[in-house]
Amino acid sequence: TSSSDTFIRAELISFARDPGDGNTPEPGSLEHYGDGLLWLKGQHIHAVGHFAELSPSLPKGADVLNYRDKLIMPGFIDTHVHYVQLDIMASYGRQLLDWLNDYTFPEECRFANHAHAEALSNAFLDEMLRAGTTTAQVFGSSHPGSVDAFFTACQKRQLRMLVGKVLMDRNAPEALMDGVSGIADSERLIEDWHGNGRLGYSVTPRFAPTSTKTQMDAAGALLRNDPTLWLQTHLAENSGELDWVAELFPGSRDYLAVYEEAGLVGPRSTFAHGIHLDNGMRKRLADRGANIAFCPSSNLFLGSGLFDREAAKQTGMTYTFASDIGAGTDLSGFGTLKAAYQVGQLGGQPLTAWQGFYGLTMGNAKALSLDSHIGQLAPSLEADFVVIDTQATSLLSRRINHCTTLGERLFALMMLADDRAIYETWAGGQCQHRRDK
Ligand code: GUN
Ligand code: ZN
């Protein structure tokens, strides 16, 4: 033991694997310690277990943080979010294509200014940590400096983050289009940042309508050249978008084929939305091991449609949970799960709390191929976790105290909790955020 050891006594909840769709988690999937001990060594988790079982092995005089009235879970993960859109959340009344033109593109132009990119990177990370999110896959703007600023801000806080510069060489304002420099700038960012500590690069063609075939092919070449890179883009979100893609790519049999032909569909690829897909496309995504980022608050806000989780399950297609700020209305993982439950109800497929919290942690980590680092409270994983205060508000406290089972408590949290319930957020073994009293 050394001064780098931290001991926390709290209720601990984590998932070793998918709990299934039942009302109770499948045996071996849930790890729950009502009176648990989380033992950190430096940036990693050293041991996890029942306090009574682990306490004999604690060093004499160990300083144990007493969080017995709190609930600790792995840090929440957001697989699709635009940090550059923080300031245009809640922009009224448009569906996707008008929303992009009227609000999004003008806002993203501001990131040519490096001071602005730095300020927004820090503001965004403050909000993420306040909401209990420790890892995200993030869109910058098309300016490479927006990604330098973001990585720099993440590095200061020891966060595990994926981000990429938007590639966009047509059908966008002049000031946002990159042309041939887009790929060279991506290569430079990969060289500087990919695999640097906890940071990773996600190749980021915005979506098929704003990249030429040439640019998408070049993005595919980057991925072939380095299979440790991630890929993020958008797919089949909105009906106007579908018509536009069909018009722009008459030779491709469907929207997904456009990405397949460029070599963009693989096990490290995340496609945001995937609402308007058929089972053939879902199976093709499943075969390649790609995932769809389900962004329920965004889909409701832009009126895009209802994601079909049941079809995903039937076809073996992996889906993840994401906020999609600035079209999303909630940075909080709780808020994302609440919206996912509501979308599910409209399709006769209500989301269980087990699926929800598994998804937000281990499920999202696995889909991003990050589960050997994060997503679970387990020895040797990185010490990224949230300390949840289930008594944060009088209403939450009343409701939680009315629950008799863990499943009910988690469901009440998923529907009623927000950033006020995040007491602390830890990353890399250190407390990075503590709620104001
Ligand atoms: N499709 C292309 N760009 C975007 C974006 O910024 N947000 C969303 N929700 N969909 C997109
Ligand atoms: Zn998006």
Side-chain angles (χ1 to χ4, degrees), residues 191-329:
E191 182 65 29
D192 285 356
W193 296 106
H194 182 62
N196 179 346
R198 306 186 77 194
L199 307 174
Y201 195 83
S202 201
V203 177
T204 310
R206 179 171 216 116
F207 68 157
T210 50
S211 285
T212 57
K213 171 84 177 119
T214 307
Q215 188 173 57
M216 279 192 286
D217 287 344
L222 291 179
L223 300 176
R224 272 194 302 283
N225 191 41
D226 182 352
T228 67
L229 290 167
W230 284 266
L231 177 287
Q232 56 180 348
T233 187
H234 298 88
L235 171 67
E237 175 179 8
N238 166 283
S239 54
E241 171 202 10
L242 298 188
D243 294 343
W244 197 18
V245 171
E247 208 176 285
L248 290 169
F249 297 91
S252 300
R253 74 162 151 154
D254 56 36
Y255 194 161
L256 179 59
V258 173
Y259 294 139
E260 287 169 337
E261 287 155 10
L264 301 181
V265 187
R268 291 194 173 213
S269 304
T270 297
F271 297 91
H273 309 301
I275 296 168
H276 308 282
L277 299 175
D278 60 30
N279 280 342
M281 288 188 254
R282 293 187 181 100
K283 288 202 184 94
R284 278 146 61 198
L285 286 162
D287 287 345
R288 299 288 182 94
N291 79 91
I292 292 285
F294 171 27
C295 310
S297 78
S298 164
N299 299 161
L300 294 170
F301 182 74
L302 290 179
S304 304
L306 305 175
F307 179 72
D308 191 343
R309 277 187 300 110
E310 195 51 39
K313 190 184 157 201
Q314 296 304 329
T315 52
M317 184 186 82
T318 300
Y319 71 88
T320 54
F321 290 104
S323 70
D324 192 32
I325 299 307
T329 52

Side-chain angles (χ1 to χ4, degrees), residues 324-339:
D324 192 32
I325 299 307
T329 52
D330 217 321
L331 274 153
S332 165
F334 298 126
T336 295
L337 295 185
K338 172 180 173 175

